[in-house]
Amino acid sequence: MARRSKIISGLLMSGALLATSLGVAGMASGADNAPARARTSAGAPAHQGHTMAPSTAVSAEDRDSDGFIMAKAPVAGVKPAVKAPPHRYFHEFQANCSVSHTRPDDPIVYPNQPGKSHDHTFMGNTTTDARTTTDSLKRGNTTCKAPGDKSAYWMPTLFKGNTPVLPVGPQVIYYKAGVTDYTSVRPFPEGLRYVVGSPLQSAEEFRRHPGFVEGWECGDSFFNVDIPKNCPTTRDVQLNIRFQAPSCWDGKHLDTPDHQSHMSYPTVKPGTNDNVCPSSHPVALPMIEFKMAWPVNGDMSQVRLASGAGYSFHYDFFNAWDAPTLKALVDHCVVGGLQCNARGYDETHPEAGAALDENYELP
């Protein structure tokens, strides 16, 4: 838990700024405003696994095939929460999920098109593939510690040369408050999905991305925009990255054509240091943060992502939590201002108890 994540400040992701279905050009102040395109390090060939061609199919949940999926229970009449509750250093819990499988599928970007994506490493739901829907996830199993978390989490597969390198054991996915008023955070709506970052972003766009925390890390090397060329060759050194997702929702859509503009990062309230949701996206949801670790070190010159260079890192989330389980964790840990593990237990506040039992289920 060392080196806590930076506070999101003043950066708003807007769908109007997305030049392609996943581009982030112009998203951050001072970023390149040209249309996003595939970029590589000097002298390196462009990756071949993902051309970002337009999708030729839509999700089974997109009933009118326009790219918009509406929430079953839209949230209307909400204004961004601006109060400042008593300060708490932490307001979070963990979802600990292991890798389940890899596959060149992406049910958000390329629904119903098996093999069209670059290779992805999937965690959580064991059934995730190109034809995944909310209902199929609810029928599936999970590699997460909490059986109630049947959500799908995925990211581009890491390779050393042509050999996949997969994270070992449960990975850390934080659910935290991204806004100052942590008491305003509510659970994800069923079926919400989004993409964080872009495989087409440049190194500078990656560095300026509002989800950027500390970049690529290994040993004592931090804040790397690309994967370091060398890491200490010791047993305990792994390649790590942390990256935060937007946490403000428009209250209407479970997905949009660019898979991002229904979500926003918090902004800073003028004249304060408080993080609030913008009026366009007033509903505060948990801020997901991937904290991934890959068992690779030493000579890293052949280490790459299936999507290209290290700065092409991005990830996807598709919510399929059991609603009462997620609500219990959000209310107890995020709204309650605790630093919880996957059971919803804060070791520094044992008097608060746990949200889940020893089997990670509702008591």
Side-chain angles (χ1 to χ4, degrees), residues 22 50 61 97-111 117-134 136-137 143-144 150-158 167 173 191-197 199 243 255 259 288 290 292 294 305 307 312-320:
L22 282 179
H50 206 320
E61 297 172 270
C97 306
S98 301
V99 171
S100 57
H101 59 289
T102 65
R103 184 170 290 164
D105 287 358
D106 190 324
I108 296 178
V109 180
Y110 294 121
S117 172
H118 55 238
D119 201 64
H120 282 111
T121 294
F122 293 89
M123 297 170 288
N125 203 290
T126 60
T127 69
T128 314
D129 62 18
R131 296 181 175 86
T132 287
T133 64
T134 303
S136 72
L137 292 176
T143 64
C144 299
K150 294 188 177 183
S151 302
Y153 309 88
W154 65 95
M155 59 190 174
T157 298
L158 187 84
I173 301 168
L192 180 74
R193 69 211 70 179
Y194 53 76
V195 180
V196 183
F243 209 78
D255 197 11
H259 314 298
I288 285 180
F290 268 32
M292 302 290 112
W294 292 264
L305 294 172
S307 52
S312 72
F313 181 77
H314 58 287
Y315 62 87
D316 301 54
F317 169 67
F318 196 140
N319 176 47

Side-chain angles (χ1 to χ4, degrees), residues 5 7 19 57 74 76 98 103 143 175 187 198 200 210 231 269 277 279 284 354:
S5 59
I7 296 175
S98 301
R103 184 170 290 164
T143 64
Y175 281 62
S198 168
L200 304 182
C231 290
K269 181 182 177 183
C277 285
S279 58

Side-chain angles (χ1 to χ4, degrees), residues 3 47 52 107 113 156 189 210 221 263 287 290 293 322 331 338 359:
R3 299 193 313 276
H47 67 82
M52 293 308 297
Q113 297 162 88
S221 179
M263 301 295 297
M287 174 176 278
F290 268 32
D322 169 67
D331 289 351
L338 299 174
N359 296 315

